[in-house]
Amino acid sequence: MDQVPATANGRTFIVTNRSVLTIAVPMTLAYLTTPLLGIVDTAVVGQFGDAALLGGLAAGALVFDVVFTSFNFLRSGTTGLVAQALGRGDELEEQAVFWRAVLIAVVAGIVLAALAPLVAIAGQWFMDAEPRVSEAMAVYIRIRLLAAPFSLINYAILGYVLGRGEGGLGLMLQLVLNGINIALCILLGLELGWGVAGVAWATATGEFVAMLLGLAIVIRRFSAAPRLPRHRILDLSAFLRMMSLNRDIMIRSFSLLAAFALFTRQGAQFGTVTLAANAVLMNFFLIAGYFLDGFATAAEQLAGRAVGAHAAMQFRQAVRLTLFWGFGLAATATLVLLLGGTGLIALITTSQDVRAVADIYLPWAAFTALSGVLAFQMDGVFIGATWSRDMRNMMLLSFLIFSGALLVLAPAFGNHGLWAALHVFLLVRGFSLLAILRLRMRTAF
């Protein structure tokens, strides 16, 4: 279908399958390096044959992930704002958005690094594990949080790069970060015998090197662009807009975490074997999510750029094409899991009891990709368009409906009801945002 190109300050763009895949494919590959890194970390510490070290690593990584979920907005919020500035052809605002995000990252990162001992103590209290597990967890958290400023600046760098639609550069930066991390993890953790501390130092070093490389690339680019007045970076109204956007994304992220925590907690009520089986199956959903995140990122950039350029046709095409590719990928993932899921379960766990229970509930897990694709894609569209209040409100509504479904379905149908409630959550998230989309488009264009 031919389109009328949108133009902003001499910049012309159209939304095509190629423009979607140019962002989605490299970022999908980039996102997939994250679970690979987790596997290497676990394998390295696992070589010591000490369950307490493995437990400490897992607990420390969980606490760290919960803390840093609060700052996901530095990536996604920056992507949306930079994409809109790109759509308007406003080079100075692209720079200003980046430096505002870096300022927030530096301040928040220093605070987190200073609070590392307290975060470690809080994590130990929350986990309430045996002393050796708690000790390993504290070591991991204290070292990882020293690199908090580097990690958060990397969020801002990736947000800027993706806001400009440069998926290849984003992939390169993630490969550098995780590649150094994996290499040093093996060297420090295994070869030098540092264990959990080696894994944590490897991560901190990878974050630092990736930050230096990313800043060098961005600053070199800015040096060839128009000079940015300092007062524009510190513009109060722009800062307030960014903080409002960031607050809404933070609430959305915590609501998502709360839903998954409730899912896990309810699964634990059905016994240890069912809890373990659900954990195995949730890995399938999370891996499918990494693939879908690539197309959600494409939706962020293309929708944001179209909003910035006031290009309604390009916006509709961005929504249409990212949804088309997302559903295609989700259907493929579902088919693969239905056909090969039993074999994958056998690879993940050697427990015959867990395998038997996981096989029963495999279809529920397989179809989460299809149930969740609209939620992933709509999140991308709304983040790119910076319609964060609607996204926040629909997430809170979805969480309430999920909680109600959990109370009704889990007692009545057991673990089948638990998985059904998860599907309700995913479907409500997607369709509620889709319902609002038409209303928002009328006011935006």
Side-chain angles (χ1 to χ4, degrees), residues 262-263 266 270 397-428:
L262 272 181
F263 179 90
Q266 182 60 53
F270 298 135
L397 173 65
S398 302
F399 179 75
L400 288 175
I401 293 175
F402 167 70
S403 301
L406 202 62
L407 289 173
V408 172
L409 297 175
F413 301 103
N415 203 46
H416 286 290
L418 176 60
W419 279 97
L422 180 63
H423 281 272
V424 169
F425 176 63
L426 295 172
L427 290 169
V428 171

Side-chain angles (χ1 to χ4, degrees), residues 336-390:
V336 167
L337 289 175
L338 287 174
L339 296 177
T342 300
L344 291 173
I345 291 168
L347 283 175
I348 294 173
T349 177
T350 57
S351 168
Q352 293 298 328
D353 290 341
V354 174
R355 285 180 182 179
V357 174
D359 286 345
I360 293 172
Y361 300 105
L362 174 62
W364 286 109
F367 279 99
T368 54
L370 278 172
S371 296
V373 62
L374 186 59
F376 278 90
Q377 190 253 4
M378 283 290 114
D379 271 358
V381 170
F382 276 70
I383 288 173
T386 61
W387 299 332
S388 59
R389 185 175 62 180
D390 294 323

